[in-house]
Amino acid sequence: MAQYLKDDVQESITSAALTIFARKGYESATMAEIARAAGVSTGNIYRYFANKDALFYGIVDDGFARAFTILLRRRVKALDGVEDARALPPTAAYHLISEEFLRFCIENRLRVVILLGRAGGSRYERFSEDTAERLIALAIEHFRNLDPCLSVTDAMRFNLDQIYQGFIRTMVNALARFEDETAIREAVHGYSKYHLAGLRSFFV
């Protein structure tokens, strides 16, 4: 019974921390308010986690960040050689991998919100910017494979940065705003259609 209680308390702390970090961000969240949300004393929370860093990185760790990056890259690379994703059948690899990526984001909704939008002050502070840069590089690689003569100017890179920062922001806002899976899917699918059509017209 004692071990069960210990696990139960730790789970309450972790759940509360997820909510607080996702709402306020790493820098603004305090151990005191996490303890209040978990229904434990501030002193008791330190029996489970040495400090805020230990709690934060226990929730969002390098393995999670790496899994997110790998899935996102697989989603983009599934479009290699494809001129228009909208013409792909539902069974195409791109749609299957997109579903896997979206499922991962839904199942880890608050962790993704934290990683992409609430990690200021942590070692993941630049994760969203780094993700945008990776997506820009992959987009340029994709369209250069379709058109080897493609020339990318500084102005184009600037616009691509705005496009992908907007894509990441929208993903964070959708996951933060909606808890219902259907609503998340509707928001993400709707924006993805707009994003893919706009990206193709940008390069073509």
Side-chain angles (χ1 to χ4, degrees):
M1 181 65 71
Q3 183 61 42
Y4 172 78
L5 180 60
K6 180 179 179 182
D7 291 343
D8 189 55
V9 171
Q10 183 166 341
E11 185 177 337
S12 294
I13 294 169
T14 301
S15 178
L18 258 175
T19 301
I20 299 297
F21 284 135
R23 182 189 308 149
K24 302 192 69 175
Y26 168 79
E27 285 183 300
S28 298
T30 66
M31 292 291 267
E33 63 189 326
I34 291 171
R36 282 196 300 274
V40 301
S41 68
T42 304
N44 197 27
I45 202 172
Y46 286 103
R47 295 177 59 192
Y48 296 88
F49 299 95
N51 48 46
K52 187 167 78 168
D53 276 0
L55 178 52
F56 183 81
Y57 296 122
I59 293 171
V60 182
D61 61 13
D62 290 346
F64 179 78
R66 187 164 50 253
F68 177 90
T69 301
I70 289 170
L71 280 172
L72 183 57
R73 176 179 167 79
R74 285 180 58 208
R75 180 179 184 265
V76 175
K77 293 296 288 180
L79 286 175
D80 280 357
V82 176
E83 291 192 17
D84 189 349
R86 295 170 297 176
L88 292 172
T91 55
Y94 171 74
H95 292 306
L96 298 178
I97 295 170
S98 292
E99 169 59 26
E100 185 181 356
F101 174 69
L102 181 56
R103 169 59 56 189
F104 176 88
C105 291
I106 291 171
E107 291 177 353
N108 298 280
R109 184 175 67 87
L110 295 183
R111 284 182 174 84
V112 175
V113 168
I114 294 166
L115 184 64
L116 289 177
R118 309 286 191 269
S122 77
R123 66 170 176 255
Y124 302 121
E125 184 169 23
R126 278 194 48 84
F127 189 86
S128 64
E129 288 82 359
D130 291 342
T131 298
E133 289 173 8
R134 281 190 290 268
L135 288 171
I136 291 168
L138 288 169
I140 292 172
E141 177 187 343
H142 172 77
F143 285 100
R144 273 191 174 143
N145 286 335
L146 295 175
D147 177 11
C149 297
L150 178 69
S151 176
V152 180
T153 65
D154 286 343
M156 287 177 70
R157 288 183 182 275
F158 168 80
N159 285 328
L160 284 170
D161 183 64
Q162 299 305 301
I163 289 169
Y164 278 109
Q165 290 290 353
F167 175 80
I168 291 169
R169 236 183 349 262
T170 300
M171 190 78 178
V172 169
N173 291 339
L175 291 169
R177 177 169 180 174
F178 301 113
E179 295 184 23
D180 178 68
E181 179 176 338
T182 302
I184 293 172
R185 286 181 175 278
E186 182 181 350
V188 171
H189 285 319
Y191 191 83
S192 292
K193 285 169 63 177
Y194 161 81
H195 170 77
L196 287 171
L199 190 62
R200 183 172 184 274
S201 65
F202 180 78
F203 280 101
V204 175

